[in-house]
Amino acid sequence: MIDTIIFDFGDIFINLDKQGTISGLQKLGLKEWNADLDRLNLLFETGDISYDDFIGGFQKQLPNASIEEILEAWNAVLADFPSYRLDFLKELSKKYRLFLLSNTDSIHIATFEKKSGVPFYTDFYNCFEKVHFSFEIRKRKPNANSFQHLIDDHNLIPEQTLFVDDKKENTDSAATLGFHVWNLQVGQEDVVDLYNKGIL
């Protein structure tokens, strides 16, 4: 009997345009996404480097770009958040314990909050018993310690918990800990299809 659901954020609730960021950085002179930027991103997502170090890392590779231009490209990944998904979540929150577990950084979350406005993001966060962002908990999926953090913090029983994420490595990792999982296929499925999946 599932009584708890942990959701990912990007491409589950908020739509992402990953190509938007790559295109934006290329316009600023980036040849291709590389290992240095990958490392920079991972460190920023776990809160292990500061905002200044993160921006500085991009400035090294994009010497002619302003901070504003870098931020604009970085935030281009964030697309729309359809309100019908929030309506669905509100209904779900009446029946289940809900948690958010997202690999994200402080810039993206601040931008989401600014773009969506206080009433919307407050309604969204209030659907969850707790919101866990990787840059705050200093752990990221698919590492088992990110899931263990929620298990320990909230006394979760994995066998009674569903984890929903669009990345297979994340749902695979959660499954090894005993969670029920739904690896949502972006573009083919929507989080509001949850009941139709027969998982709950």
Side-chain angles (χ1 to χ4, degrees):
M1 178 68 185
I2 292 171
D3 57 20
T4 304
I5 310 173
I6 302 169
F7 288 103
D8 176 35
F9 183 30
D11 269 339
I12 301 295
F13 294 111
I14 190 170
N15 291 320
L16 299 183
D17 175 12
K18 289 163 187 161
Q19 194 49 47
T21 285
I22 301 295
S23 303
L25 293 171
Q26 284 170 341
K27 279 183 195 142
L28 299 178
L30 187 72
K31 298 275 187 292
E32 60 177 3
W33 186 265
N34 54 54
D36 284 347
L37 292 181
D38 223 26
R39 185 169 168 276
L40 204 62
N41 178 35
L42 293 178
L43 287 170
F44 196 42
E45 273 193 354
T46 50
D48 288 313
I49 55 168
S50 68
Y51 170 92
D52 289 343
D53 288 343
F54 177 71
I55 296 295
F58 272 97
Q59 286 178 308
K60 273 189 198 131
Q61 304 211 22
L62 303 167
N64 300 318
S66 68
I67 291 175
E68 288 72 23
E69 287 171 326
I70 291 168
L71 286 172
E72 189 179 340
W74 187 243
N75 286 321
V77 68
L78 302 172
D80 61 314
F81 185 146
S83 58
Y84 70 84
R85 289 184 186 151
L86 179 57
D87 295 338
F88 172 74
L89 194 63
K90 285 178 181 173
E91 287 306 308
L92 212 56
S93 70
K94 295 171 186 171
K95 302 173 192 165
Y96 297 92
R97 294 180 74 190
L98 302 183
F99 298 92
L100 194 71
L101 178 61
S102 172
N103 289 350
T104 189
D105 62 68
S106 54
I107 294 173
H108 281 158
I109 292 307
T111 303
F112 156 66
E113 291 177 356
K114 189 176 173 192
K115 274 173 74 172
S116 63
V118 175
F120 187 92
Y121 79 71
T122 304
D123 276 1
F124 175 59
Y125 292 159
N126 282 344
C127 291
F128 301 99
E129 201 170 303
K130 187 82 194 284
V131 169
H132 293 275
F133 295 130
S134 59
F135 72 93
E136 291 176 336
I137 65 171
R138 317 278 308 260
K139 302 168 181 68
R140 70 189 299 285
K141 303 170 292 188
N143 297 340
N145 66 354
S146 64
F147 299 107
Q148 197 62 48
H149 180 83
L150 269 73
I151 292 171
D152 295 344
D153 252 28
H154 306 291
N155 298 318
L156 301 187
I157 301 166
E159 291 74 19
Q160 294 174 14
T161 305
L162 172 67
F163 172 61
V164 180
D165 198 297
D166 62 301
K167 291 194 173 61
K168 191 168 185 304
E169 66 263 30
N170 295 343
T171 52
D172 284 354
S173 175
T176 63
L177 293 170
F179 288 97
H180 297 266
V181 297
W182 175 22
N183 175 217
L184 185 149
Q185 305 300 301
V186 179
Q188 298 164 38
E189 300 175 309
D190 195 295
V191 70
V192 299
D193 301 335
L194 185 56
Y195 286 121
N196 304 342
K197 293 283 148 193
I199 305 168
L200 294 174

